[in-house]
Amino acid sequence: MGHSSAVWDHRAAIELIKDWNGIDQVVLRNPQGASARVSLHGGRVISWRNDLGEELLFSSSKAIFKSPKAMRGGISICFPQFGNCSSIEQQGFARNKIWMIEDDAPPLLKNDIRGKSFIDLLLKPGEEEPKCWPHGFELRLRVSLASDGNLALISRVRNINGKPFSFLFGYHTYLSLSDISEVRLEGLETLDYLDNLCQRERFTEQGDALTFESEVDRVYLCSPNCIAVLDHERKRTYVIRKEGLPDVVVWNPWEKKSKAMTDFGDEEYKQMLCVDGAAVEKLITLKPGEEWTGRLELAAVPSSFCSDYFDPQLK
Ligand code: BG6
């Protein structure tokens, strides 16, 4: 028997399990059979499956599941930095910490509960907090799975310090693809980008959708809030919507870099693309008591339905 959204109890649709390191994972399910799995190690979404049980996020077969190292794949929460340009660890420390489940998270401005199974997680500075980033913060993450199988991540950063602080943020998202050479990324045409492979030099993208033939590591600036990744072979389109996140980071290590990474298979670059909703070009600054929110919503739809779904009005 199906559940109507009015009576759908999100608590009945979540399960707590332990991974092989004894760290809690939360499994979210919707009535149609889609699921998402979130690890308290990093607040990382490590799996997102559609109602056919197909995995939609890439995880490396060589991924290392050992705290405190972040595992390669899924969606990691990059905070308070993105990239590797300060004394804080690459992509920030949040993804290497153990988060906690928050039973009574403060309400969100938008109603994000109805018809969804969700979990609220919280990260606060611990006693052995990094000296390189000595700020009082609360980082909240709601991961929700909707009845249509869409996955949403809502992050809130609150300044509970007496002084302002600044940070960068990103949802480092490994999409699972059939073959990178069959993939198009739409929505970033004509934008300016910083090329991490050329000392962050600024270029302007051509008028065509992006296709991939070599290593890419770029920060697209002032991007639209809806972009799409089309996987022609699988006839699947990922629609990525974001709010509060002006940039999109696009990364594929390609052949040479793949071989140099110990936690990544030599050929795995063909089956993935990172497309990250992020705020990386400009620091976000919060005064004492202020809160920032950044949202990401992912849909995986058959490409034939996509022209209706990918509505340019929403950009
Ligand atoms: C990209 C960055 O987003 O992620 C790259 O722009 C980085 O510079 C890559 O190498 C991989 O990051 P990670 O943390 O998954 O190894």
Side-chain angles (χ1 to χ4, degrees), residues 174-234:
Y174 284 76
L175 299 176
S176 170
L177 301 168
S178 59
D179 179 354
I180 187 73
S181 62
E182 297 287 326
V183 166
R184 265 156 54 105
L185 173 47
E186 293 189 355
L188 302 178
E189 306 85 50
T190 73
L191 297 186
D192 281 6
Y193 64 88
L194 307 178
D195 195 337
N196 285 330
L197 302 177
C198 300
Q199 291 79 46
R200 300 201 109 203
E201 202 181 323
R202 192 168 177 138
F203 296 95
T204 303
E205 189 54 68
Q206 303 297 306
D208 300 326
L210 272 75
T211 53
F212 301 91
E213 294 168 345
S214 59
E215 182 182 358
V216 57
D217 189 353
R218 297 177 181 172
V219 181
Y220 286 85
L221 307 171
C222 303
S223 61
N225 277 339
C226 184
I227 60 175
V229 178
L230 285 73
D231 183 335
H232 290 296
E233 202 171 296
R234 252 180 220 148

